[in-house]
């Protein structure tokens, strides 16, 4: 099969608005033109942070742009800002938390300032909810962001519609340098796309440059995000130097799989995801119905072993709760038929319910400190 033939037969699609099918991450790196995170880069990170974060060790973060560059800058005493974000389309699930976990780790280890953008405008323009509905999501999502444990003194949340006056002039500089033809080819806009959507991308680019404006000198920015957001930064990087800024560096994650079938967790089908606001009983129910890599019967499982590489329960345990050593042992036991799906589901259920109930307490506490995290209190 030649390359071009294969190209047409990809059975997955990744855009900022849609992730479908079983993603081949090695192919995605090629398609998007990003770089693989090499062991050399991991060693460099480790030299600054001590032990590697499990999400790096497990290669859940697998791709980057200019990560080596930003680490060299740091090595030369040029500190970087972190920038990440949330499109407030609904409640937050475990998949959304993954880039935030790494962001918190990086903030702690590199003592970085963090800008956290909430694109309420994007979710209004691209979805079917009213502005009022989205406003409620924004508030709920902020509780999740604060519950992650970011440093209050070093974290600022930007809500696009509320903080627009701090974003607008920079967004103009960006917008003026991006043609419709480029935006069309990067995002797939068509003649029937509403013009709000077409005009939105510069706003997601602004926080890449705000740190330089705040600090009054070119300031490197690292964006931890799921890889579907890369098209935004591709555009941003094209124009950055033209307006006197560094290109933003990025570190990209995979997607946490759906609990039900192949694909990523999705807010639009709640049974496929564990939400931070789910009650214990619901979490347990979702996990007991989860898709596994197990055999249809216990005796076949004992005879043939299971397949962790397609198992959602195994992935959740690996990326969220097991230590690397525990995960390896789980994999060996499963493959050799010495572990039944019920046991893994039980472990995941225990770990998830404990995590969610701890997280819900932190969400409650967050209610008192929301305003401390806002970019600016002026409206
Ligand atoms: N567009 C993102 C979403 O729909 C939200 C977002 C804005 C974001 N800025 C970001 C995500 C920076 C990651 C990094 O979820």
């Amino acid at each position: 099969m030649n390359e071009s033939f294969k190209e047409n037969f990809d059975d997955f699609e990744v855009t900022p608005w849609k992730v479908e099918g079983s993603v081949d991450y090695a192919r995605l790196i090629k398609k998007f033109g990003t770089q693989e995170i090499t062991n050399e880069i991991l060693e460099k990170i480790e030299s600054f942070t001590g032990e590697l974060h499990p999400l790096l060790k497990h290669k859940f973060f697998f791709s980057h742009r200019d990560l080596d560059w930003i680490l060299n800058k740091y090595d030369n005493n040029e500190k970087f800002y972190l920038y990440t974000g949330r499109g407030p389309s609904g409640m937050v699930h475990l998949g959304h938390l993954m880039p935030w976990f790494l962001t918190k780790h990086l903030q702690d280890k590199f003592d970085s300032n963090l800008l956290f953008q909430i694109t309420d405008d994007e979710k209004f323009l691209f979805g079917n909810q009213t502005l009022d509905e989205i406003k409620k999501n924004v508030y709920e999502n902020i509780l999740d962001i604060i519950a992650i444990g970011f440093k209050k003194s070093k974290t600022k949340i930007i809500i696009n519609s509320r903080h627009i006056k701090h974003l607008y002039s920079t967004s103009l500089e960006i917008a003026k340098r991006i043609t419709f033809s480029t935006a069309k080819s990067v995002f797939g806009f068509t003649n029937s796309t509403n013009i709000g959507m077409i005009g939105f991308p510069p706003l997601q680019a602004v926080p890449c440059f705000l740190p330089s404006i705040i600090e009054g000198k070119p300031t490197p920015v690292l964006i931890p995000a799921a890889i579907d957001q890369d098209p935004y930064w591709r555009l941003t990087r094209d124009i950055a130097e033209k307006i006197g800024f560094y290109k933003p560096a990025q570190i990209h994650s995979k997607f946490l799989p759906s609990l039900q079938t192949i694909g990523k967790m999705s807010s639009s089908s709640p049974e496929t995801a564990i939400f931070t606001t789910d009650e214990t009983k619901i979490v347990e129910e979702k996990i007991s119905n989860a898709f596994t890599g197990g055999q249809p019967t216990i005796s076949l499982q004992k005879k043939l072993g299971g397949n962790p590489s397609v198992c959602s329960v195994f992935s959740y345990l690996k990326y969220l709760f097991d230590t690397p050593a525990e995960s390896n042992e789980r994999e060996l036991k499963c493959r050799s038929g010495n572990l039944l799906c019920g046991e893994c589901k039980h472990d995941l259920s225990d770990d998830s319910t404990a995590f969610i109930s701890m997280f819900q307490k932190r969400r409650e506490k967050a209610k008192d400190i929301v305003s401390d995290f806002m970019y600016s209190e002026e409206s």
Side-chain angles (χ1 to χ4, degrees), residues 16-17 83-89 117-127 131 134 158-162 164 167-168 170-176 178-180 183-184 186-187 189 193-208 228-229 231-233 235-236 239:
W17 308 286
Y83 160 39
T84 193
R86 160 80 186 143
S89 51
Q117 180 179 48
I118 300 188
T119 50
D120 54 344
D121 46 356
E122 176 191 21
K123 293 301 150 179
F124 175 68
L125 292 165
F126 288 75
L131 282 169
I134 288 177
I158 296 167
I159 304 171
N160 279 5
S161 66
R162 175 161 158 194
I164 186 65
L167 312 175
Y168 194 57
T170 309
S171 84
L172 289 175
E173 295 288 352
I174 300 164
K176 191 168 182 173
I178 299 173
T179 64
F180 181 44
K184 247 191 338 204
V186 173
F187 294 109
F189 296 144
T193 305
N194 77 58
I195 61 172
M197 289 166 65
I198 295 162
F200 169 74
L203 280 158
Q204 186 156 324
V206 173
C208 301
D228 62 322
Q229 296 297 306
Y232 281 107
W233 324 125
L235 266 188
T236 313
I239 56 97

Side-chain angles (χ1 to χ4, degrees), residues 222-242:
L222 175 63
I223 309 170
I227 186 138
D228 62 322
Q229 296 297 306
D230 180 70
Y232 281 107
W233 324 125
R234 228 178 287 157
L235 266 188
T236 313
R237 287 167 58 86
D238 277 351
I239 56 97
E241 285 167 343
K242 293 184 193 153

Side-chain angles (χ1 to χ4, degrees), residues 44-45 47-49 66-81 106-113 220 222 246:
K44 179 104 184 163
I45 296 177
S47 75
F48 295 124
T49 62
D66 274 347
L67 181 56
D68 39 356
W69 169 82
I70 214 159
L71 293 169
N72 285 335
K73 288 269 175 204
Y74 183 82
D75 221 359
N76 292 322
N77 293 320
E78 225 180 303
K79 284 181 69 172
F80 58 84
Y81 270 57
L106 296 173
Q107 177 176 61
D108 288 344
K109 296 291 177 183
F110 292 92
D111 194 33
S112 306
N113 286 303
L222 175 63
Y246 287 140

